[in-house]
């Protein structure tokens, strides 16, 4: 029975790798085209950029310069600070003084109320939009750990000119300064996740544009008061309205921060929790995760059993299947990495060539990433509290409760954090 099981696992892995490559080729092909009908004339709706801040990320000064110097004629920025004493405030004030000398482009809004029923980011977005002047046609959200190119805003709002696309999103890509275990695991996970993001049309709140009328008419503002994240719930709302989310293929924004393996485990659990709570395709996302994880675990079992029983064919097929899966998954990376490098270089990013050491480390991290991801999926089902940027949230079903609000302090600073 052991050998037939091992051969069955080989067939499953073979199919899994083939589907993996098919999805990748579909993704790479869609990166070459726009799904929306572009307006023949330049499209520059009056736009409010919301920039929520809780603490100062390492990339914040560069990001502030980029957002304040966008090549876009009709936009305003609201820097929404978590508290009056937030460590990001001096950086924002200095950037405004340097890049917005006339004081017409940017404003600082201090949070005076933090809803206990949602995350601090959702609370910040609510307060940033609730009193927004009716003349604004578009609302854009940008995370503090990003470095957008000068025409980012123009490209991001372009799809909104098509009535079928009230939401447009960019993509994130990790290029850590220090390729340690945690950072490489996050890079590998994200390289697979962006393919799912395109497949299931999962928007990313780090670079997101919405038509203001759609946002208000479909109850998204009130929805944010009850959610842990701002982006994932949008998918259901867009589907109900029979509209589509535009993924802007030229907008990969690079994050260069590093993180440890434990931080990655915590981070990926939170990412999966968002999908579990709010995304209509959670069953497919979870099922896909099980399909790529369970065969590997079973192969470990058949290999150990083969060694104990001295069954050479089982050992051979188990080890060979595992190596085939390992190499098959890693083999997709050069293709997606090459395409993304082309995009981010055009966006002005400097991308170093991979060293032999980094290539070997990344190759070695493939099964480790798979193991950490499997562990995160397992513990996700027992997750009732989430720690996010120094704040604990209790998660009961779909209900969110902030345990206690605390201003951001130096002790909350950790590698790989994200608002």
């Amino acid at each position: 029975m052991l050998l037939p099981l091992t051969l069955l696992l080989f067939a499953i892995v073979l199919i899994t790798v083939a589907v993996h490559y098919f999805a990748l080729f579909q993704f790479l092909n869609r990166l070459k085209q726009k799904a929306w009908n572009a307006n023949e004339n330049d499209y520059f709706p009056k736009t409010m950029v919301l920039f929520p801040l809780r603490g100062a990320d390492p990339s914040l000064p560069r990001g502030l310069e980029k957002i304040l110097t966008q090549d876009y004629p009709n936009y305003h920025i609201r820097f929404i600070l978590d508290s009056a004493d937030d460590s990001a405030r001096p950086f924002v004030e200095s950037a405004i003084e340097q890049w917005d000398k006339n004081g017409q482009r940017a404003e600082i809004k201090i949070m005076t109320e933090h809803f206990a029923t949602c995350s601090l980011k959702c609370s910040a977005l609510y307060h940033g939009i609730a009193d927004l002047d009716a003349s604004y046609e578009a609302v854009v959200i940008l995370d503090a750990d990003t470095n957008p190119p000068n025409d980012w805003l123009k490209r991001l709002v372009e799809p909104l000119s098509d009535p079928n696309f009230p939401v447009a999103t960019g993509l994130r890509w990790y290029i850590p300064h220090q390729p340690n275990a945690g950072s490489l695991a996050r890079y590998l996970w994200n390289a697979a996740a962006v393919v799912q993001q395109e497949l299931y049309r999962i928007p990313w709140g780090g670079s997101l544009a919405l038509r203001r009328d759609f946002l208000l008419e479909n109850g998204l503002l009130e929805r944010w008061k009850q959610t842990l994240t701002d982006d994932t719930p949008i998918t259901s709302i867009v589907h109900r309205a029979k509209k589509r989310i535009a993924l802007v293929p030229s907008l990969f924004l690079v994050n260069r921060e590093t993180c440890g393996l434990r931080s990655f485990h915590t981070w990926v659990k939170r990412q999966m929790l968002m999908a579990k709570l709010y995304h209509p395709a959670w069953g497919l996302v979870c099922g896909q995760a099980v399909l790529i994880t369970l065969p590997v675990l079973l192969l470990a079992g058949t290999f150990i059993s083969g060694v104990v029983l001295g069954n050479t064919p089982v050992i051979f097929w188990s080890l060979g299947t595992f190596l085939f899966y390992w190499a098959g998954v890693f083999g997709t990376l050069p293709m997606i990495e090459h395409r993304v490098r082309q995009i981010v270089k055009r966006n002005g990013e400097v991308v170093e060539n991979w060293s032999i050491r980094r290539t070997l480390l990344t190759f070695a991290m493939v099964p480790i990433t798979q193991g950490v991801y499997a562990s995160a999926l397992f513990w996700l089902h027992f997750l009732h509290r989430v720690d996010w940027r120094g704040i604990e949230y209790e998660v009961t079903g779909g209900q969110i409760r902030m345990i206690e609000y605390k201003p951001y302090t130096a002790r909350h600073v950790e590698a790989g954090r994200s608002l």
Side-chain angles (χ1 to χ4, degrees):
M1 285 296 293
L2 205 55
L3 183 58
L5 174 60
T6 307
L7 294 175
L8 176 61
L9 291 175
F10 172 75
I12 293 173
V13 167
L14 182 63
I15 294 171
T16 300
V17 171
V19 171
H20 193 72
Y21 272 84
F22 176 77
L24 176 64
F25 287 134
Q26 289 286 97
F27 173 74
L28 294 176
N29 184 56
R30 287 172 183 170
L31 287 182
K32 300 176 183 178
Q33 54 193 337
K34 298 177 180 178
W36 61 93
N37 293 317
N39 200 316
E40 293 182 0
N41 302 315
D42 287 334
Y43 180 66
F44 296 116
K46 187 176 181 182
T47 299
M48 172 61 76
V49 178
L50 301 178
F51 202 101
L53 286 163
R54 177 173 163 82
D57 288 80
S59 58
L60 180 59
R62 182 62 173 160
L64 291 171
E65 176 187 346
K66 286 290 190 178
I67 189 58
L68 284 164
T69 56
Q70 284 291 299
D71 182 18
Y72 193 91
N74 197 16
Y75 79 107
H76 195 81
I77 310 162
R78 274 187 175 173
F79 296 105
I80 309 169
L81 292 174
D82 184 65
S83 68
D85 299 323
D86 194 276
S87 58
R89 185 169 186 172
F91 294 96
V92 175
E93 291 175 340
S94 175
I96 291 176
E97 182 179 354
Q98 183 174 1
W99 303 105
D100 185 30
K101 296 179 180 178
N102 295 326
Q104 298 178 346
R105 174 142 290 169
E107 64 180 90
I108 295 176
K109 188 178 182 71
I110 307 295
M111 292 275 288
T112 57
E113 181 183 14
H114 305 85
F115 298 130
T117 55
C118 63
S119 68
L120 289 180
K121 182 180 181 183
C122 288
S123 191
L125 295 178
Y126 180 91
H127 289 298
I129 297 173
D131 63 347
L132 196 60
D133 187 276
S135 63
Y136 287 95
E137 300 174 64
V139 174
V140 168
I141 303 166
L142 182 67
D143 276 356
D145 57 355
T146 56
N147 185 24
N150 291 334
D151 60 347
W152 160 80
L153 188 54
K154 178 181 178 180
R155 282 189 270 166
L156 187 62
V157 302
E158 180 190 301
L160 305 187
S161 63
D162 186 332
N164 292 313
F165 291 88
V167 179
T169 181
L171 294 161
R172 63 184 165 199
W173 193 255
Y174 290 98
I175 308 178
H177 284 301
Q178 298 176 1
N180 58 357
S183 299
L184 288 176
R186 186 172 60 177
Y187 159 78
L188 287 166
W189 182 89
N190 184 72
V194 293
V195 179
Q196 283 195 346
Q197 186 179 348
E198 196 280 332
L199 178 63
Y200 300 123
R201 283 299 188 264
I202 304 174
W204 172 46
S207 176
L208 185 67
L210 308 100
R211 281 211 305 267
R212 183 175 179 271
D213 57 352
F214 178 85
L215 185 156
L216 298 177
E217 291 169 5
N218 289 275
L220 181 56
L221 195 58
E222 291 302 316
R223 179 73 174 127
W224 277 338
K225 289 175 69 174
Q226 309 293 327
T227 61
L228 191 60
T229 185
D230 56 314
D231 46 20
T232 315
I234 293 173
T235 303
S236 296
I237 293 174
V238 171
H239 285 176
R240 283 199 299 269
K242 297 182 179 179
K243 301 293 184 180
R244 299 173 63 190
I245 297 172
L247 188 149
V248 185
S250 63
L251 286 182
F252 275 89
L253 297 190
V254 172
N255 183 309
R256 296 183 180 273
E257 295 179 7
T258 58
C259 73
L261 206 54
R262 180 178 293 181
S263 295
F264 166 69
H265 186 267
T266 301
W267 178 83
V268 79
K269 272 194 302 185
R270 193 172 69 234
Q271 299 299 308
M272 299 308 292
L273 178 64
M274 308 302 190
K276 179 184 177 182
L277 290 176
Y278 307 117
H279 201 278
W282 165 246
L284 293 174
V285 173
C286 187
Q288 183 176 347
V290 171
L291 284 175
I292 64 174
T293 302
L294 188 58
V296 176
L297 296 177
L298 291 174
L299 281 169
T302 58
F303 177 76
I304 293 171
S305 299
V307 171
V308 171
L309 297 173
N311 192 325
T312 303
V314 170
I315 295 173
F316 171 80
W317 279 102
S318 298
L319 184 59
T321 301
F322 178 76
L323 292 175
F324 172 74
Y325 174 80
W326 190 2
V329 171
F330 189 78
T332 64
L333 281 176
M335 291 181 282
I336 190 170
E337 176 73 22
H338 174 70
R339 182 68 184 120
V340 174
R341 277 172 173 263
Q342 291 178 325
I343 294 172
V344 299
K345 282 181 179 180
R346 285 201 297 268
N347 291 341
E349 291 282 354
V350 177
V351 185
E352 302 81 7
N353 292 326
W354 279 28
S355 64
I356 295 176
R357 177 177 176 273
R358 173 167 177 169
T359 301
L360 294 175
L361 282 173
T362 306
F363 184 61
M365 282 304 301
V366 171
I368 297 174
T369 302
Q370 190 71 51
V372 176
Y373 181 40
S375 170
L377 280 173
F378 174 78
W379 289 109
L380 173 65
H381 297 287
F382 305 96
L383 189 64
H384 300 293
R385 285 202 176 192
V386 177
D387 183 51
W388 192 359
R389 221 168 173 87
I391 297 291
E392 266 200 314
Y393 300 93
E394 186 177 73
V395 182
T396 308
Q399 302 298 311
I400 309 301
R401 184 175 72 88
M402 180 169 58
I403 304 299
E404 181 186 3
Y405 170 75
K406 298 176 183 177
Y408 198 77
T409 62
R411 74 177 187 277
H412 294 136
V413 177
E414 61 174 330
R417 68 192 187 277
S418 177
L419 182 67

